[in-house]
């Protein structure tokens, strides 16, 4: 058989494989859209681009009861949108309306607009606009602001600017003093590498040296070895979340490529500001109840500095909730336990402020 015929057969075989994969992906997307449908007549299921900050930004609103408290998720990264991870939060949608917002330089917003100027103040301003939009869309529903990692810093600025918009703030993987947290993180990672006898990691991390890092490259060296010594659930998170992104209903392959590219773009543009973040510079008096849900195994934002910070601030309520065995992404690796704490600690407070028992839903 000639080379040309072999090439044709190989090309046809590749086309069949690719075609089969695309057909399977389309089937999984259809199945996902079917199984995730909100069937309750009192529910809400909306998604689309909303004019925010002068640009279209992606907002997804899902819940079984429109009068439930809203959880506005301010994702981390920056650049790591959580909107494709809807199945992870499906159980939350009985007692809360969950809102996923793809920030500038993240997710479908990045896919639509490309790279945009990013900074904590800019994103916080966008977040306030999202909250105002939600108040117009669901005027009876109080809003709980849930900020994760970078989003926890953005969230503090949002409640500082507009406490009237939010019934409570929940910080997950809370950034408090980035300089202090990074120094602790470095020591923890180095100690774990030594305990594991990982000399290659010890040597490379020692050559890089402790923070502060002059650029993103130094931080990424530390993050590489952190991922080696992190909890098993954190180490396997990408492998478990990747299929959800690849088969998310409504996402094209171009959207998936943009989703995967966004964090690098966003983090490079915000490295200096994040590295210097100090929550105390936002002031120590807040009008919004503040909760921090912290994994006791969080190597990215160790809870010690945050606990000290909480001791200094003034707020109507402030509470640190430790999640045993949880890492930085506990809301994704243990969503059921995270939800149980929201139900036990935050929802009753918010419902009481509305004059309703915690298990009620207004008609």
């Amino acid at each position: 058989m000639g080379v040309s015929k072999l090439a044709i057969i190989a090309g046809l075989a590749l086309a069949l494989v690719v075609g089969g994969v695309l057909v399977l992906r389309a089937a999984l997307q259809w199945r996902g859209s079917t199984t995730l449908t909100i069937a309750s007549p009192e529910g809400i299921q909306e998604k689309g681009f909303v004019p925010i900050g002068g640009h279209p930004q992606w907002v997804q609103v899902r819940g079984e009861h429109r009068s439930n408290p809203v959880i506005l998720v301010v994702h981390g990264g920056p650049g790591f949108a959580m909107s494709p991870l809807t199945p992870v939060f499906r159980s939350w949608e009985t007692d809360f309306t969950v809102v996923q917002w793809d920030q500038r330089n993240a997710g479908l917003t990045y896919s639509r607009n490309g790279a945009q100027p990013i900074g904590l103040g800019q994103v916080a301003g966008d977040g306030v606009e999202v909250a105002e939009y939600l108040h117009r869309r669901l005027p009876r529903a109080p809003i709980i602001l849930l900020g994760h990692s970078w989003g926890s810093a953005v969230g503090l600025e949002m409640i500082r600017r507009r406490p009237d918009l939010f019934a409570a703030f929940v910080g997950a993987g809370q950034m408090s003093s980035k300089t202090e947290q990074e120094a602790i993180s470095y020591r923890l990672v180095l100690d774990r590498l030594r305990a594991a006898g990982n000399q290659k990691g010890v040597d490379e991390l020692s050559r890089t040296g402790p923070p502060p890092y002059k650029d993103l490259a130094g931080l990424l060296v530390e993050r590489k070895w952190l991922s080696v010594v992190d909890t098993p659930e954190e180490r396997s998170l990408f492998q478990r979340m990747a299929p959800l992104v690849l088969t998310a209903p409504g996402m094209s392959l171009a959207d998936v490529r943009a989703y995967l590219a966004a964090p690098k773009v966003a983090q490079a543009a915000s490295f200096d500001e994040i590295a210097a973040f100090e929550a105390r510079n936002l002031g120590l008096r807040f009008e919004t109840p503040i909760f921090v849900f912290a994994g006791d195994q969080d190597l990215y934002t160790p809870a010690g500095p945050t606990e000290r910070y909480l001791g200094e601030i003034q707020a109507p309520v402030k509470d640190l909730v430790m999640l045993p065995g949880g890492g930085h992404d506990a809301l994704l690796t243990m969503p059921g336990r995270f939800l149980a704490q929201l139900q036990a600690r935050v929802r009753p407070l918010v419902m009481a402020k509305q004059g309703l028992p915690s298990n009620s839903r207004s008609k």
Side-chain angles (χ1 to χ4, degrees), residues 220-276:
L220 290 179
V221 172
E222 190 267 349
R223 293 294 192 252
K224 178 180 74 173
W225 292 109
L226 185 156
S227 68
V228 171
V229 299
D230 212 341
T231 68
E233 294 77 15
E234 293 283 332
R235 291 200 304 269
S236 64
L237 182 61
F238 178 80
Q239 288 82 355
R240 288 182 285 120
M241 297 298 108
L244 299 182
V245 175
L246 291 170
T247 61
M251 284 187 71
S252 68
L253 290 176
D255 291 333
V256 172
R257 286 196 298 270
Y259 180 91
L260 297 174
K264 184 176 181 180
V265 173
Q267 290 166 26
S270 57
F271 172 79
D272 291 338
E273 184 175 25
I274 292 176

Side-chain angles (χ1 to χ4, degrees), residues 157-178:
E157 174 63 10
M158 288 170 63
I159 64 171
R160 186 194 70 81
R161 290 188 188 187
R162 291 293 305 276
D164 56 302
L165 293 175
F166 305 107
F169 170 73
V170 178
Q174 180 68 51
M175 285 171 52
S176 51
S177 174
K178 197 62 174 164

Side-chain angles (χ1 to χ4, degrees), residues 66-317:
R66 291 171 179 261
S67 58
N68 271 336
V70 169
I71 292 181
L72 170 55
V73 179
V74 184
H75 65 72
F80 177 48
M82 293 189 187
S83 56
L85 309 183
T86 299
V88 176
F89 299 97
R90 185 65 182 91
S91 61
W92 295 27
E93 295 170 358
T94 299
D95 285 336
F96 300 97
T97 297
V98 180
V99 177
Q100 298 287 356
W101 157 48
D102 291 10
Q103 302 163 21
R104 55 181 64 215
N105 295 355
L108 290 169
T109 299
Y110 175 67
S111 184
R112 173 74 175 265
N113 301 321
Q116 296 179 289
I118 186 174
L120 189 148
Q122 176 67 68
V123 178
D126 291 347
V128 166
E129 289 190 39
V130 174
E132 291 172 334
Y133 165 78
L134 293 172
H135 271 298
R136 294 193 298 270
R137 191 69 194 85
L138 297 165
R140 294 189 297 163
I143 297 178
I144 299 164
L145 188 63
L146 170 56
H148 176 237
S149 195
W150 148 265
S152 70
V154 174
L156 286 176
E157 174 63 10
M158 288 170 63
I159 64 171
R160 186 194 70 81
R161 290 188 188 187
R162 291 293 305 276
D164 56 302
L165 293 175
F166 305 107
F169 170 73
V170 178
Q174 180 68 51
M175 285 171 52
S176 51
S177 174
K178 197 62 174 164
T179 300
E180 189 177 359
Q181 287 175 308
E182 287 292 355
I184 295 172
S185 179
Y186 178 86
R187 292 196 299 271
L188 288 172
V189 173
L190 201 56
D191 288 346
R192 291 194 182 191
L193 288 169
R194 286 174 175 147
N198 191 326
Q199 193 59 44
K200 180 180 178 182
V202 170
D203 290 344
E204 185 173 2
L205 199 54
S206 298
R207 285 196 303 271
T208 302
Y213 302 108
K214 64 180 180 180
D215 53 31
L216 184 60
L219 177 63
L220 290 179
V221 172
E222 190 267 349
R223 293 294 192 252
K224 178 180 74 173
W225 292 109
L226 185 156
S227 68
V228 171
V229 299
D230 212 341
T231 68
E233 294 77 15
E234 293 283 332
R235 291 200 304 269
S236 64
L237 182 61
F238 178 80
Q239 288 82 355
R240 288 182 285 120
M241 297 298 108
L244 299 182
V245 175
L246 291 170
T247 61
M251 284 187 71
S252 68
L253 290 176
D255 291 333
V256 172
R257 286 196 298 270
Y259 180 91
L260 297 174
K264 184 176 181 180
V265 173
Q267 290 166 26
S270 57
F271 172 79
D272 291 338
E273 184 175 25
I274 292 176
F277 178 76
E278 173 56 66
R280 292 170 179 83
N281 292 338
L282 301 177
L284 297 176
R285 184 186 297 272
F286 293 90
E287 299 176 35
T288 305
I290 293 176
F291 298 82
V292 172
F293 290 7
D296 67 354
Q297 299 298 310
D298 186 346
L299 297 178
Y300 288 85
T301 50
T306 299
E307 185 172 11
R308 290 189 287 275
Y309 166 70
L310 282 177
E312 298 174 22
I313 67 171
Q314 298 179 43
V317 175

Side-chain angles (χ1 to χ4, degrees), residues 25-49:
R25 178 176 181 271
L28 291 173
Q29 285 183 302
W30 176 84
R31 180 184 178 187
S33 64
T34 302
T35 57
L36 293 173
T37 298
I38 300 289
S40 168
E42 299 175 5
I44 183 169
Q45 181 177 253
E46 299 177 353
K47 58 184 179 181
F49 289 100

